[in-house]
Amino acid sequence: MADRAPLPYDYLPTVPSFEVTSDDVTHGEQMGDKQVYNSFGMSGENISPHLSWSGFPAETKSFAVTAYDPDAPTGSGFWHWLVIDIPASVTSLAAGAGTGDGALPAGAFHVRNDYGTKDFGGAAPPAGDEPHRYVFAVHALDVPTLGIDSDVTPAVAGFNLRFHTIARGLLVPVYGH
């Protein structure tokens, strides 16, 4: 659809890309109930997908993972997941790592999403909407820590990511009902 919102990285400085894959979601394909929210009229399992990445720059000092819906009817999109300060030695997150119960690698943490929780919040587009795009991004960073805490807004996290991202990989499944 020509009038869709841009992806969140379309207007940021261009950085090299690298590969992001998943055992649970596929680029351009419909996500299953496991990645759907369990509230707001939805009855999914609210499980973050497995993500794996490779081909990032050797000088990467940490990673961040974000999930964003640019098609949410808010005027500002909707942040579903933000994980910050993932050590550079970590190249995957297991399915369910977004539970908020200590399933993340040591040193990594969740930033509050737009549901108001510090965990993964699954897809919940309005019924009848064209399928929404869910932009899972892995950001390779030039610092070992962003120097923010879990109480910042997604916008503040994104501001810091903009200045420290040296490469980025995207995986964009969709969901509609």
Side-chain angles (χ1 to χ4, degrees), residues 6 18 24 29 36 50 57 60 65-66 110-111 122 131 141 144 166:
F18 56 90
D24 302 317
E29 298 294 324
V36 173
H50 159 267
T60 300
V65 170
T66 59
H110 290 100
V111 169
L141 307 176
I166 58 174

Side-chain angles (χ1 to χ4, degrees), residues 98-158:
T99 61
D101 67 358
L104 294 175
F109 62 91
H110 290 100
V111 169
R112 188 176 317 281
N113 60 34
D114 282 339
Y115 287 118
T117 59
K118 295 177 183 179
D119 57 9
F120 172 78
D129 270 16
E130 181 172 346
H132 287 206
R133 298 165 293 166
Y134 292 87
V135 182
F136 288 88
V138 179
H139 311 261
L141 307 176
D142 64 359
V143 291
T145 178
L146 275 182
I148 60 176
D149 64 33
S150 65
D151 291 325
V152 301
T153 64
V156 170

Side-chain angles (χ1 to χ4, degrees), residues 3-162:
D3 60 346
R4 288 195 119 168
L7 294 183
Y9 311 108
D10 286 353
Y11 298 106
L12 294 179
T14 302
V15 295
S17 64
F18 56 90
E19 185 174 20
V20 178
T21 59
S22 176
D23 294 340
D24 302 317
V25 297
T26 303
H27 189 84
E29 298 294 324
Q30 174 93 353
M31 290 191 291
D33 285 343
K34 287 186 177 186
Q35 284 73 49
V36 173
Y37 199 56
N38 190 11
S39 189
F40 285 31
M42 307 298 289
S43 59
E45 296 180 43
N46 205 44
I47 298 171
S48 60
H50 159 267
L51 296 173
S52 182
W53 50 92
S54 62
F56 49 86
E59 61 270 20
T60 300
K61 295 185 179 167
S62 69
F63 296 101
V65 170
T66 59
Y68 176 77
D69 174 0
D71 303 315
T74 64
S76 62
F78 197 91
W79 289 98
H80 288 263
W81 195 25
L82 298 96
V83 181
I84 308 298
D85 291 357
I86 300 169
S89 60
V90 174
T91 58
S92 67
L93 292 177
T99 61
D101 67 358
L104 294 175
F109 62 91
H110 290 100
V111 169
R112 188 176 317 281
N113 60 34
D114 282 339
Y115 287 118
T117 59
K118 295 177 183 179
D119 57 9
F120 172 78
D129 270 16
E130 181 172 346
H132 287 206
R133 298 165 293 166
Y134 292 87
V135 182
F136 288 88
V138 179
H139 311 261
L141 307 176
D142 64 359
V143 291
T145 178
L146 275 182
I148 60 176
D149 64 33
S150 65
D151 291 325
V152 301
T153 64
V156 170
F159 178 85
N160 283 275
L161 287 171
R162 182 265 185 244

